[in-house]
Amino acid sequence: MSNFEYLMHLNTIAGRTYNDLMQYPVFPWILADYTSEALDLSNPTSFRDLSKPMGAQTEKRKQMFMKRYEEVENTETEGADMSARCHYCTHYSSAIIVASFLVRMEPFSHTFQALQGGFDIPERMFHSIGKEWESASRDNMGDVRELIPEFFYLPDFLLNSNHIQLGCMEDGTALGDVELPPWAKGDPQEFIRIHREALESDYVSSRLHLWIDLIFGYRQQGSAAVESVNTFHPYFYAQRGRQNAKDPMIKSTILGYVSNFGQIPRRLFTKPHPPRSGSKKDGTSPSHPTPFFFKLDALKTSAQPFRELPRGPVGQILCLEKEVLVVEKNRLLVAPPSGCFFSWGFPDNSCAFGNYTTEKHFAVSESLCDWGETLCAACPNMTTIITAGSSTVICVWEVAVSKDKLTHVKLKQPLYGHTDAVTCLAVSEGHSLIVSGSRDLTCILWDLEELSYVTQLAGHTSSISALAINDLTGEIASCAGPLLYLWTMKGQLLACTGTSSGPQADILCVSFTQRHEWDSRNVIVTGCADGIIRIWRTEYTRTQLPGPPEEPVSPRQDQIERDGSASGQGKGWRRCLMLCQELSSGQSVSQRRFNDSPAITALAMSRTHATLLAGDAWGRVFTWVCE
């Protein structure tokens, strides 16, 4: 379980929920460095002190809060309920804090205005992560806020994509996107990736239990809380306050406090939380072999193929826990427990279902006949199959297969949008997303649940030949001829390959490595018509300094720069796809370029990412592992 998952688990048990802004999930500030050009996660000074609450991050501030506590104690009167002994009279999580972080997104912008009576003074709005850290950790005695989960997975809340009028700063600058630390390179996605990487780092893993003690554990209340400079006004302990309050007026006051300032989570631990056992560093044990993309220069393949099909090109490779399933072109494995496949490409445009083990068809359906020639299919789950082809229409079918019997096939919804044949499909059930690619030079994104149009990916220069969706990040890879494009789920172009490396073969298949969404070593693998596997990695490069350009900017590059600005790039950095390795199963890559060789038609990775599998047009499957 990742640190993020564990913190969400604790928040849920403690009664924190996305459905209540007053009891929203609370996450810690992780980093203390918001000024460096490059963030060093091996340096302890890059991190916040997780053993101390936000009010005690600096010694000077800690002493001021301790003095406040002692002064109130010495002047205690009958009105102790209003001037009770505590270090903090504000809270680290409240409805207004959550709404202020998410103010650039609906419905939170309206929520913020309802709570605040309109937008606040621009300088007091959430506009800079670095300044927010300085306020909460050092400068503002009334600010001890922690973070919310969105800081670790949702780049959208850092962008003013809705162009909400938030006002202007004193210098006349309009309040727009959130100002990011230099190490984020102006890209909200990169900020989220690095921030999540920091949360999952060994340093944080070895100290996160100390923060859990403060928020959910034994240092939340009592003498341990006093020693830790971690006591809040009694009204913030809403459950305890309501139980003790018999006077309706006092109870109403407590509820008002909770509504405006938040409340302490339910205490989960009365003893110190144990530290996380073991290191999270990448292991090389049999249970944690080295992922193939960690050492691309050391990748080797066997002389003999791992698997050979008796006929046709490889169409799909599916890696399960204990076996690898392989089918030829025009076949698709229905969700693994069923043990069956779906096939198409027959002269009468019908389709069939067969048993994977016996290789025999057990049912034929003519439902597809009215929709022309089927060119591609996808299967998100056991009850849904998506087909498309020459008719330009994407058909979503509801199917029921049980014990080698097809009991039900029904057209759930046809999806209209393309103007030429649909050549490829990709689907992600986790992101509720279908992506279709067509000869009309576009891809269309569809909502899998609503079965409705979302947006279009335009700008390709030739027919779409391959698609893939990253189930972790939601990023989309589309291939058109020899070019590879990388998109967000909103349809913003993040990067694409250029032609500077000379002519290359068309890409026929593409796949993401998806080991950890925060790992910058993840790659995109493409299989090409020349029999070469090409491996790409996203990197950031400096954009050209102001001045006359040396050469004209291509329309595609112009689109990246325009979309990049919309996604937060364009502040001196640009995201690029860099070719980092070429693989071939026989001769060297330089020899293969000038010889006929089977095209790479299918790609897959093992569950541990230790093995890369590639199928070719001759029906062979080769494996690649680190030597």
Side-chain angles (χ1 to χ4, degrees):
M1 182 183 287
S2 69
N3 290 338
F4 180 90
E5 291 169 327
Y6 186 60
L7 287 176
M8 281 303 303
H9 185 60
L10 293 182
N11 271 283
T12 303
I13 297 173
R16 314 295 285 190
T17 170
Y18 284 113
N19 298 322
D20 186 352
L21 296 186
M22 292 182 291
Q23 298 189 79
Y24 209 74
V26 56
F27 269 61
W29 284 95
I30 293 296
L31 297 168
D33 182 358
Y34 296 94
T35 58
S36 298
E37 286 288 331
L39 186 64
D40 184 1
L41 293 180
S42 64
N43 186 351
T45 61
S46 297
F47 296 89
R48 164 253 180 106
D49 189 342
L50 289 163
S51 68
K52 298 176 182 177
M54 287 304 294
Q57 290 298 305
T58 65
E59 186 60 30
K60 180 181 177 182
R61 200 168 185 235
K62 175 184 175 182
Q63 292 300 325
M64 292 172 72
F65 281 119
M66 290 174 67
K67 182 180 178 183
R68 171 193 284 178
Y69 181 90
E70 296 297 333
E71 284 177 348
V72 174
E73 181 182 22
N74 293 333
T75 59
E76 206 166 359
T77 65
E78 290 182 2
D81 282 341
M82 297 307 295
S83 58
R85 281 184 301 160
C86 64
H87 294 105
Y88 314 114
C89 295
T90 56
H91 198 243
Y92 49 76
S93 177
S94 66
I96 193 65
I97 288 173
V98 174
S100 69
F101 280 143
L102 302 177
V103 71
R104 289 162 178 79
M105 298 171 59
E106 292 293 1
F108 301 101
S109 59
H110 275 80
T111 303
F112 182 90
Q113 292 179 80
L115 291 170
Q116 188 74 16
F119 290 126
D120 205 343
I121 299 168
E123 280 76 10
R124 286 169 46 180
M125 296 279 287
F126 171 48
H127 66 278
S128 164
I129 292 174
K131 285 184 170 59
E132 205 72 16
W133 161 254
E134 290 170 0
S135 172
S137 66
R138 186 188 70 196
D139 296 341
N140 189 346
M141 290 290 286
D143 185 3
V144 291
R145 69 186 62 193
E146 293 280 7
L147 299 182
I148 55 176
E150 284 80 354
F151 274 82
F152 299 93
Y153 69 84
L154 188 70
D156 305 60
F157 85 99
L158 300 167
L159 294 170
N160 190 13
S161 302
N162 295 319
H163 306 292
I164 298 169
Q165 299 298 316
L166 300 172
C168 293
M169 309 285 277
E170 285 186 356
D171 62 1
T173 306
L175 205 62
D177 299 342
V178 176
E179 183 182 327
L180 302 176
W183 45 258
K185 300 177 175 63
D187 185 355
Q189 287 192 314
E190 181 68 354
F191 170 80
I192 294 294
R193 187 196 67 76
I194 294 176
H195 206 216
R196 179 67 188 277
E197 184 181 11
L199 175 63
E200 305 297 340
S201 67
D202 281 342
Y203 183 90
V204 172
S205 296
S206 65
R207 290 162 178 79
L208 191 57
H209 64 286
L210 302 172
W211 183 84
I212 292 170
D213 288 337
L214 291 168
I215 306 300
F216 302 106
Y218 84 103
R219 293 200 291 162
Q220 184 200 80
Q221 301 176 29
S223 59
V226 176
E227 292 171 10
S228 303
V229 194
N230 193 44
T231 62
F232 293 82
H233 193 283
Y235 289 171
F236 291 139
Y237 302 85
Q239 190 174 7
R240 185 178 70 191
R242 283 197 296 269
Q243 288 172 351
N244 297 336
K246 296 179 181 179
D247 188 327
M249 288 294 291
I250 294 177
K251 187 172 284 190
S252 175
T253 302
I254 292 172
L255 290 173
Y257 252 70
V258 168
S259 298
N260 285 286
F261 302 110
Q263 62 179 301
I264 304 292
R266 183 183 299 125
R267 184 159 69 163
L268 303 179
F269 309 104
T270 55
K271 296 180 180 179
H273 191 290
R276 184 165 188 142
S277 59
S279 169
K280 294 182 70 181
K281 287 184 178 177
D282 307 310
T284 55
S285 63
S287 59
H288 296 93
T290 303
F292 76 87
F293 56 92
F294 280 18
K295 299 179 179 178
L296 293 174
D297 292 336
L299 285 178
K300 298 294 179 184
T301 186
S302 58
Q304 298 300 317
F306 166 75
R307 187 80 56 84
E308 283 192 80
L309 297 177
R311 56 189 175 275
V314 176
Q316 184 189 16
I317 306 169
L318 187 62
C319 295
L320 304 179
E321 198 68 47
K322 295 182 179 179
E323 62 177 331
V324 176
L325 308 181
V326 183
V327 292
E328 61 256 31
K329 184 182 177 183
N330 290 353
R331 285 190 178 184
L332 175 71
L333 290 158
V334 180
S338 67
C340 73
F341 62 84
F342 172 76
S343 61
W344 64 93
F346 303 105
D348 61 355
N349 293 333
S350 63
C351 64
F353 291 82
N355 183 290
Y356 176 78
T357 306
T358 63
E359 284 280 312
K360 293 182 178 179
H361 290 109
F362 58 77
V364 174
S365 173
E366 296 182 350
S367 302
L368 271 68
C369 295
D370 296 333
W371 298 95
E373 181 185 2
T374 301
L375 299 176
C376 52
C379 177
N381 53 57
M382 287 186 67
T383 60
T384 307
I385 289 176
I386 305 164
T387 63
S390 60
S391 69
T392 77
V393 182
I394 293 96
C395 295
V396 182
W397 304 88
E398 192 178 272
V399 300
V401 180
S402 177
K403 296 181 180 179
D404 286 2
K405 285 186 179 179
L406 178 64
T407 57
H408 177 72
V409 179
K410 180 184 176 183
L411 180 62
K412 200 172 179 181
Q413 179 82 43
L415 302 175
Y416 299 91
H418 287 292
T419 58
D420 204 339
V422 178
T423 52
C424 49
L425 290 166
V427 61
S428 169
E429 197 168 22
H431 291 287
S432 187
L433 186 66
I434 304 169
V435 185
S436 56
S438 169
R439 289 176 187 156
D440 64 12
L441 313 187
T442 70
C443 299
I444 294 180
L445 276 56
W446 313 86
D447 188 303
L448 175 61
E449 201 169 308
E450 302 292 333
L451 297 179
S452 59
Y453 174 91
V454 176
T455 190
Q456 186 182 65
L457 311 181
H460 300 90
T461 55
S462 56
S463 174
I464 314 302
S465 54
L467 291 167
I469 302 171
N470 189 322
D471 281 320
L472 292 180
T473 65
E475 290 177 341
I476 299 160
S478 63
C479 306
L483 299 180
L484 168 65
Y485 301 77
L486 187 65
W487 310 80
T488 68
M489 287 195 298
K490 287 187 170 183
Q492 294 167 342
L493 182 60
L494 294 174
C496 75
T497 56
T499 56
S500 56
S501 54
Q504 291 183 345
D506 288 353
I507 299 171
L508 304 182
C509 52
V510 61
S511 185
F512 288 95
T513 60
Q514 301 177 65
R515 188 170 175 272
H516 295 307
E517 59 264 48
W518 61 85
D519 196 333
S520 62
R521 293 169 294 186
N522 274 307
V523 296
I524 302 173
V525 185
T526 57
C528 303
D530 58 0
I532 295 173
I533 301 165
R534 291 180 171 87
I535 301 177
W536 308 83
R537 184 169 281 142
T538 57
E539 295 180 3
Y540 286 84
T541 59
R542 289 274 186 189
T543 54
Q544 191 175 21
L545 294 172
E550 294 180 5
E551 57 184 49
V553 178
S554 69
R556 187 175 65 255
Q557 185 60 47
D558 182 56
Q559 183 183 358
I560 293 175
E561 291 180 0
R562 282 187 285 106
D563 285 356
S565 296
S567 64
Q569 296 182 60
K571 296 180 180 178
W573 294 92
R574 181 166 55 85
R575 197 171 176 182
C576 299
L577 284 164
M578 309 296 288
L579 180 63
C580 47
Q581 189 64 285
E582 293 183 320
L583 306 172
S584 64
S585 57
Q587 302 159 302
S588 68
V589 171
S590 58
Q591 290 175 311
R592 293 290 290 272
R593 291 183 194 278
F594 306 102
N595 289 278
D596 291 333
S597 53
I600 303 298
T601 56
L603 293 164
M605 291 98 182
S606 63
R607 291 288 183 92
T608 62
H609 281 84
T611 306
L612 170 65
L613 298 94
D616 65 22
W618 292 354
R620 305 175 302 173
V621 177
F622 287 90
T623 60
W624 298 82
V625 294
C626 287
E627 198 172 25

